[in-house]
Amino acid sequence: MAQDTYTNQLIHEKSPYLLQHAHNPVDWYPWGEKAFEKARRENKPVFLSIGYSTCHWCHVMEEESFRNEAIAQILNEHFVSIKVDREERPDIDQVYLRVLTAMTGAGGWPASLFLTPDRKPFYAGTYFPPEERWGRPGFAGVLQSISKKWASAPQTVTQNSEEIARILVREVEKETAGDKIPGEESLQTAYESFKRQFDARYGGFGETPKFPQAHVLSFLLRYWKRFKAPEALEMVETTLRGMAGGGIFDHLGGGFHRYATDVRWRVPHFEKMLYDQAMLGRAYLEAYQATGTEGYALVAREVLDYVLKDLTSAAGAFYSAEDADSAENLQKPSQKSEGAYYLWTHVEILNHLGKAGGTVFSEFYGIKAQGNLTGDPTGEFSSRNVLYVARPAEDIAREHSQTPEEILKVLAEARQTLSAVRSKRARPLRDEKVLTGWNGLMISSFAFAACVLGEKRYRAAAVNAAEFLLQHLKDEKGLLSHRWCEGEVAVPGFAEDYVFFALGLLDLYEATFEPRYLREALFLSRELIRLFWDEKAGGLFSAGKENEELLLRMKEIYDGALPSANAVAVLLFLEIGHLTMDREFEEKARRILLAFSDAILRFPAGCPQVLSGIDFTLGPSHEITIAAHPGHAVLDDWMREIYRSFLPNKVVALHPAGSAGAEEIENLVPFLKNQSMIENRPTVYVCENNACRTPVTEIGRLKNILNTEG
């Protein structure tokens, strides 16, 4: 039967993930009271399925089970089925992923949970095949077993669910107890842990699947700088080179795929997430600052240019993701496979590039007649190739009696040709949700890139996205919403939205010196405290006063794919406290570290983002002021010099001499009042831990000061 024969309750939603299931024969409901009221009225358990639009195994389970009429009949007869987009409702995902991990020892998506009508869990799993396979129980059998248990012993199931809920509540409540603020010992413990996990040959940490972990790299750069530890820098560089040369990087279109399924970074899971581009773009820029290696700046540009080209809306906001799967054939759009947009056969390469160019290209990018994707249990990638840097251009040049420059020119022309060919393929689905928090991360990276690389178009990208969020996702009361999609704004903002966007605005102030962005960052920081602060134990709840009350009220310090809101808040509060001289913010940063001290001390490697905040608290930290007429020609030169070196624990402000905006910025940043131009010349003040050096009016002297600080 045709897929569109059926229509369920999801047809009224905006989420691309929910709409992917709107024509399943399963009678899906979105999360909400309507579904739970139906479960209570009909005395049925709830099947809760959580995923996201670019999740490969979510697609597999949808195709195998949720389109299966026999399985749909079981679900419709014995359950109330609820579908949740984890990106649209990270609060629900966070709570029930915690449940899933506690009940099974592992998490992941699709998350499949069974709840009582009062939302308490009693059974959980991830992907279920339709029938028993690979040691996994079949979904139809699981449904029948749970249905029978509910019918025969509902009271027992309910009692078990209540006990599970009580245990989880107790575990969450005891997680933020501590009486010692972590210091250097936590940095050193984490470093030793990463050192043990480090893959010295290919880079990265731990076994497969291998994730980029940008916040680990940023921490290691700070560790290298603080302790003069060359091994820390070596870990960062080996990892960055491995990823940039691997199949996890899109060598034709730019940007990074989500993770690699092998140790060499060669075989990716092909989805692309906005937050990965934001965090990895910044990590490569920081490595460029630390080492001066132009290759890192080049990779950062390719990541950011990918976002501008493929993940930016006409209005300037950033879209969420691109799918791993796409159609093999434009005439058969429903027949999709993973990586179809990105993979090549050897014959295709030769046909499009000719024998000479195709041979050089194949040698450089590891293209083989039999395919180069090893470890493919399903055979989906048979005879296909992903691009990765297999050999140095110098070696190929030597064998072909050419110069490396000639080989690089051949490769550049080949990439251009193949990009044009690839553009005619069916593109992966683009998830066009605009998420406030993820946009905040991307705004930070573009603003930072504008300062480091001196690129005005990156500054413009950050400004455009920030203006979109301020116009569409901040209401007249100043409250943020979490999601915009096709003109609809929905879901009250979470802590991650406030903290990521506030930090993005703070970075944007430093890239533009527009006081408005600092004022907005300050406002959102205060709202963050008002809405999310735990007055009893300290720290920020993930969901606040405007959000729906769920089974658990979560607070997180450990990082996942995204850094935790509490960890980023430490950095936000420290930076904005240094700028505004408002000690409440620095006290809140200290309270977060104290509240989570037990968790940090127990497993510091689990929270690398907060370690960067601890590094800031340990100092030295710097306040840098440029006193100059706005738009002065030398201003860009000063900024390039300030951002040339890796000096992470700093804030930068402009005292706009003789400008109408001087009073506004002086009110926001009080210490600027006494930092003026000397002899009517642009002047830079560098202060360390609230003690200022002699101001300088010559860029050479600034360079000497910053080199000393570095």
Side-chain angles (χ1 to χ4, degrees), residues 484-668:
W484 179 96
C485 191
E486 294 183 353
E488 181 189 83
V489 174
V491 187
F494 301 104
E496 67 177 44
D497 296 307
Y498 283 82
V499 71
F500 294 170
F501 187 28
L503 191 60
L505 289 167
L506 194 57
D507 286 336
L508 186 54
Y509 164 70
E510 295 191 4
T512 63
F513 294 129
E514 286 289 338
R516 173 171 171 251
Y517 296 128
L518 178 55
R519 188 174 67 249
E520 292 283 3
L522 184 60
F523 173 81
L524 291 179
S525 298
R526 288 173 175 155
E527 285 292 276
L528 177 68
I529 294 169
R530 183 180 72 84
L531 294 169
F532 299 93
W533 188 258
D534 182 355
E535 295 292 347
K536 180 180 177 182
L540 299 164
F541 289 112
S542 300
K545 295 175 182 177
E546 299 291 325
N547 299 110
E548 179 182 355
E549 187 175 342
L550 298 174
L551 176 68
L552 304 172
R553 197 163 189 208
M554 303 287 288
K555 291 193 300 186
E556 291 285 352
I557 197 64
Y558 292 132
D559 299 321
L562 291 168
S564 82
N566 275 286
V568 177
V570 170
L571 196 59
L572 169 67
F573 291 157
L574 289 170
E575 290 190 9
I576 210 159
H578 275 245
L579 270 174
T580 64
M581 300 180 72
D582 186 337
R583 298 307 178 198
E584 179 194 2
F585 288 116
E586 293 184 56
E587 175 60 17
K588 284 292 190 286
R590 190 189 72 83
R591 287 284 308 280
I592 291 174
L593 295 175
L594 186 62
F596 290 100
S597 60
D598 277 2
I600 297 168
L601 291 168
R602 184 168 59 249
F603 184 38
C607 43
Q609 180 64 52
V610 87
L611 299 178
S612 293
I614 292 170
D615 181 67
F616 197 122
T617 67
L618 293 172
S621 57
H622 299 87
E623 299 86 31
I624 301 176
T625 302
I626 306 173
H629 294 292
H632 195 290
V634 80
L635 194 55
D636 287 343
D637 295 334
W638 289 115
M639 285 294 286
R640 272 197 297 273
E641 195 56 49
I642 290 168
Y643 279 89
R644 187 185 308 279
S645 302
F646 181 61
L647 194 67
N649 301 331
K650 69 177 183 297
V651 291
V652 183
L654 173 70
H655 194 191
S659 167
E663 184 176 351
E664 180 181 8
I665 195 65
E666 286 171 2
N667 289 333
L668 291 168

Side-chain angles (χ1 to χ4, degrees), residues 315-350:
F318 304 121
Y319 295 135
S320 295
E322 287 195 297
D323 206 340
D325 298 7
S326 56
E328 297 273 358
N329 190 313
L330 286 169
Q331 279 67 51
K332 298 178 180 179
S334 63
Q335 297 180 13
K336 298 181 179 181
S337 64
E338 182 172 6
Y341 182 72
Y342 301 100
L343 299 176
W344 302 85
T345 65
H346 187 231
V347 171
E348 285 178 305
I349 297 295
L350 295 178

Side-chain angles (χ1 to χ4, degrees), residues 28 50 60 85 92 111 133 183 190 219 351 373 377 379 396 443 475 488 494 517 521 545 568 593 639 670 674 679:
W28 289 113
I50 305 173
V60 172
D85 180 345
I92 297 170
R133 188 191 307 161
F219 158 67
N351 285 345
L373 290 124
I396 297 171
I443 290 166
D475 68 15
E488 181 189 83
F494 301 104
Y517 296 128
K545 295 175 182 177
V568 177
L593 295 175
M639 285 294 286
N674 299 318
E679 298 177 353

